[in-house]
Amino acid sequence: MIFHWTRVMLVSAILLAPDAVAQDFAFTIARIKYNGGGDWYSDEQSLPELLTFVRDNTLLHVAPRPDVVELTSNKLFTYPYLYLTGHGNVVFSPGEARRLRRYLEHGGFLHIDDNYGLDVAIRREMRKVFPDQEFVELPFEHAIYHAHYSFPAGLPKVHEHDGKPSQGFGLFDEQGRLCVFYSYESDLGDGWEPPTVHDNSPEVRAQALQMGTNILIYAMTGTR
């Protein structure tokens, strides 16, 4: 229940004492280290860059660097937001899948960011977590696209790979809360990295950072 409490406290703090939020409320996010041979560590500088942007442009006092966590670790349940990315294979053991489901059903949030080549593996593995669900594309009116910045056309396109549009998919807990957001064919993490890494334009990088901010704010406020 820690995550529900965290979101309630955050919203209350913003509404009642916005100037104090940066002083009194702090949390840390984590990147998932998974098995299967995929590069879970890709875009190494992306999350610190996003967190700097969030700290500079919102009232969220998030730690400036993420932790790294394995699904077998008890520390898993201390993070309100988890990030998973990569280009290749992902494998969850049955025990890891159960733990991830427990984390999500108790208020946690997972952002899966396809770095191109993740799709087949992550859809297979998330069926272990929620065997009764398939990813559902979110409408552009969904709150995650308007949590802080407005994206009336949905996910921004950072990199072009095979001509497909960027799409945002979701999985939901028993209360109907979006607990997994899957950014597909967008490459948000590449857009968060320093501009010298991928040579993205300032406009594209700003859109990626703003969308990442929306996802983190949505995760922390728990809006349906």
Side-chain angles (χ1 to χ4, degrees):
M1 301 302 291
I2 181 173
F3 307 112
H4 295 302
W5 176 88
T6 298
R7 284 195 295 270
V8 169
M9 290 299 293
L10 175 65
V11 174
S12 299
I14 290 174
L15 292 175
L16 298 176
D19 293 337
V21 173
Q23 303 295 324
D24 299 330
F25 197 93
F27 63 96
T28 302
I29 70 171
R31 176 191 289 257
I32 292 179
K33 180 181 180 181
Y34 52 81
N35 295 311
D39 53 342
W40 60 268
Y41 46 82
S42 62
D43 291 341
E44 185 176 353
Q45 300 176 74
S46 61
L47 285 178
E49 290 287 315
L50 173 63
L51 297 175
T52 295
F53 184 87
V54 170
R55 287 163 63 90
D56 289 345
N57 292 278
T58 78
L59 295 173
L60 293 184
H61 186 41
V62 59
R65 297 194 65 84
D67 287 349
V68 173
V69 67
E70 298 183 45
L71 295 176
T72 54
S73 171
N74 286 333
K75 287 192 69 177
L76 174 72
F77 298 95
T78 68
Y79 303 107
Y81 170 108
L82 299 176
Y83 179 74
L84 185 153
T85 193
H87 297 83
N89 197 36
V90 180
V91 174
F92 299 151
S93 70
E96 288 174 327
R98 285 193 299 271
R99 286 172 64 83
L100 181 55
R101 179 162 182 157
R102 180 183 172 203
Y103 164 85
L104 296 168
E105 289 183 335
H106 283 78
F109 186 91
L110 170 62
H111 174 202
I112 302 167
D113 188 25
D114 179 28
N115 203 358
Y116 193 60
L118 188 70
D119 190 60
V120 172
I122 201 61
R123 288 179 181 273
R124 180 194 67 222
E125 296 308 298
M126 290 308 295
R127 277 193 288 271
K128 296 179 182 178
V129 181
F130 290 111
D132 54 342
Q133 288 194 58
E134 296 285 345
F135 279 108
V136 175
E137 185 170 7
L138 302 180
F140 296 158
E141 296 79 19
H142 194 277
I144 202 165
Y145 295 126
H146 307 278
H148 192 71
Y149 300 97
S150 183
F151 286 87
L155 276 174
K157 188 77 169 176
V158 176
H159 284 173
E160 189 68 54
H161 291 294
D162 51 18
K164 294 181 180 179
S166 54
Q167 295 175 280
F169 296 97
L171 296 171
F172 302 84
D173 68 12
E174 293 181 350
Q175 285 70 49
R177 177 184 65 95
L178 176 68
C179 60
V180 179
F181 180 69
Y182 175 30
S183 47
Y184 175 63
E185 288 285 335
S186 175
D187 263 359
L188 286 177
D190 282 5
W192 300 341
E193 289 219 289
T196 54
V197 176
H198 296 289
D199 198 29
N200 293 313
S201 70
E203 294 77 16
V204 167
R205 186 165 186 265
Q207 285 192 336
L209 289 166
Q210 289 170 3
M211 187 64 224
T213 300
N214 274 16
I215 298 168
L216 186 53
I217 287 178
Y218 181 89
M220 294 305 298
T221 57
T223 307
R224 287 192 185 183

